[in-house]
Amino acid sequence: MHPFTLSRATDAAEAIKAHAKEPQLAFIAGGTDLIGLMKDRTTFPEHLLDINHLPDMSRIEVLPDGGLRIGALARMSDVAAETEVRRRFPVIAESLLFAASGQLRNLASMGGNIMQRTRCAYFRDEDDLPCNKRRPGSGCSALHGINRNHAIFGWSDDCVATHPSDVAVAFAALDANVLVHGRSGERSIPFTEFHRLPGSTPERDNVLGRGDLIMAIEVPARVEGRASYYLKLRDRESYEFALVSVAAALAIDDGRIRSARLAMGGVAHKPWRLRTAEAALHGASLQDLDALKAAIATSFIDARPLTHNGFKVELAQRVALRALQVAGERA
Ligand SMILES: Cc1cc2nc3c(=O)[nH]c(=O)nc-3n(C[C@H](O)[C@H](O)[C@H](O)COP(=O)(O)OP(=O)(O)OC[C@H]3O[C@@H](n4cnc5c(N)ncnc54)[C@H](O)[C@@H]3O)c2cc1C
Ligand code: SF4
């Protein structure tokens, strides 16, 4: 393993300054992704700055308007177990409980979770096969290789990877915001703009730069929050990343959909909102399966499956339908 030093941060402003100044410095929280990447020789930080002791970053708070503020250092298991999260936004708690294993969730932080990198096997391969995300300009082994787990939306010839976080899908559906402190102060990034599509620079997963520290994730109060559900399909039941997943949240009037929120995981380089389907679902009856299916299908017209993942196009639509139905039962 590449040698590195480790120190502990106690002041956020100092941590931000150090991160901005030293390109070889990485923040470490739970370490459950970063250490794996270092072992796989995918990333080589020379200095790790332990942010676990920064003050006030582990809190989970209900905001006066009924929204949530989840500190970046809150542990996945704590967020999933929090009564107000479960009551107000079941989709968040469920997406966390379907992620990783109990031991990992106890250690893994929310900030680290949304920063985790793709599980594309070529990216994580110690043999250093061509991978533009790992080594820019080297090519994409998955484009014409084994791409069963890869994207069907928004990919480029330079990268067809998917984003792996489950809770990011729930945050995208709920239009959460990521609160970041950087060199020029604090900013709030809409969740759907936090992760990037690969384009010609797949080495960049998100919009953060040097000196950016995630402080919290804010979820605005949503009428659809309580009638929400997360459904994840995976190859193994014990713990596994999503083949496809859906976060659904609904507001219903007299059995008809007043407002629908739908986002998918396992289909793109970022959580993928089904905005066309959301608009088409407006006014649909939850009993009218044909109407629900037709509305969902409008978001799949521009799906572009790869050689080995054509099955995801149908599977994703079925998962979206089932998630809508369960969310509807909760309304
Ligand atoms: C076997 C296994 C199975 C898994 N299964 C799933 C799954 O099914 N679903 C799922 O969603 N996840 C899954 N995970 C991923 C796991 O949830 C992440 O590894 C974890 O959430 C990362 O959090 P961490 O605190 O350990 O991050 P770290 O590993 O400490 O950090 C990850 C990255 O985030 C950066 N970072 C951390 N905190 C901040 C911050 N506050 N501001 C800016 N940058 C920051 C670090 O610099 C690093 O680049 C799995 C992981 C493993 C090992
Ligand atoms: S899909 Fe992306 S991460 Fe996977 S090999 Fe291609 S460039 Fe690398």
Side-chain angles (χ1 to χ4, degrees):
M1 195 156 160
H2 186 71
F4 61 91
T5 57
L6 174 69
S7 60
R8 178 182 288 185
T10 49
D11 177 84
E14 290 300 319
I16 289 164
K17 212 190 296 175
H19 194 269
K21 202 168 96 193
E22 278 185 59
Q24 296 309 323
L25 179 148
F27 295 139
I28 184 164
T32 61
D33 194 39
L34 185 58
I35 298 295
L37 291 166
M38 290 165 69
K39 287 182 179 168
D40 293 340
R41 304 183 60 74
T42 298
T43 186
F44 302 95
E46 286 170 7
H47 185 66
L48 298 186
L49 188 56
D50 175 356
I51 58 172
N52 288 296
H53 298 271
L54 291 179
D56 299 328
M57 281 175 60
S58 305
R59 279 212 295 265
I60 307 163
E61 297 165 75
V62 177
L63 300 172
D65 70 352
L68 288 177
R69 188 179 204 273
I70 302 171
L73 289 173
R75 267 38 202 182
M76 289 169 71
S77 49
D78 292 334
V79 179
E82 170 62 47
T83 312
E84 290 302 319
V85 175
R86 299 169 78 92
R87 199 164 66 85
R88 289 166 196 266
F89 300 100
V91 68
I92 295 177
E94 286 163 351
S95 64
L96 288 166
L97 290 174
F98 277 118
S101 63
Q103 290 92 334
L104 283 160
R105 292 193 296 270
N106 286 342
L107 194 59
S109 68
M110 295 297 288
N113 185 284
I114 64 171
M115 289 292 285
Q116 65 176 292
R117 307 207 68 193
T118 183
R119 304 309 290 198
C120 171
Y122 299 106
F123 172 69
R124 302 241 171 195
D125 193 313
E126 274 184 77
D127 290 340
D128 205 17
L129 291 167
C131 170
N132 288 320
K133 194 181 272 296
R134 181 179 177 126
R135 199 156 34 86
S138 62
C140 172
S141 294
L143 182 61
H144 300 296
I146 298 169
N147 48 38
R148 176 177 177 271
N149 292 338
H150 291 68
I152 57 171
F153 290 114
W155 52 267
S156 70
D157 284 354
D158 288 333
C159 181
V160 295
T162 55
H163 179 72
S165 162
D166 286 294
V167 74
V169 181
F171 286 144
L174 296 167
D175 280 321
N177 293 294
V178 185
L179 300 187
V180 175
H181 274 193
R183 283 172 288 182
S184 48
E186 184 173 326
R187 65 194 195 279
S188 172
I189 304 170
F191 206 88
T192 48
E193 292 166 25
F194 181 77
H195 296 102
R196 298 175 68 253
L197 288 180
S200 57
T201 50
E203 67 276 15
R204 292 192 59 210
D205 297 334
N206 54 57
V207 297
L208 295 194
R210 296 302 304 172
D212 280 338
L213 176 67
I214 302 171
M215 306 302 290
I217 297 139
E218 276 192 3
V219 187
R222 292 274 170 227
V223 62
E224 304 94 336
R226 286 173 201 251
S228 65
Y229 180 62
Y230 189 74
L231 181 56
K232 172 175 177 178
L233 289 199
R234 46 191 170 171
D235 284 329
R236 161 176 74 170
E237 194 59 26
S238 55
Y239 66 95
E240 189 51 274
F241 292 89
L243 204 49
V244 295
S245 68
V246 175
L250 286 179
I252 304 288
D253 280 336
D254 293 332
R256 291 190 177 272
I257 296 174
R258 173 153 51 96
S259 157
R261 296 175 165 275
L262 280 175
M264 297 209 73
V267 295
H269 198 258
K270 59 188 285 184
W272 195 256
R273 268 300 274 276
L274 306 188
R275 292 197 189 272
T276 322
E278 289 175 3
L281 283 164
H282 182 77
S285 161
L286 274 171
Q287 307 307 321
D288 187 348
L289 283 194
D290 289 340
L292 298 182
K293 281 184 196 167
I296 291 168
T298 60
S299 274
F300 286 80
I301 290 166
D302 52 356
R304 286 189 301 145
L306 300 158
T307 321
H308 302 124
N309 69 3
F311 70 95
K312 280 193 182 185
V313 177
E314 172 65 24
L315 187 65
Q317 292 180 75
R318 290 189 195 188
V319 173
L321 177 65
R322 184 67 195 132
L324 270 184
Q325 289 175 312
V326 178
E329 285 162 15
R330 293 176 172 181

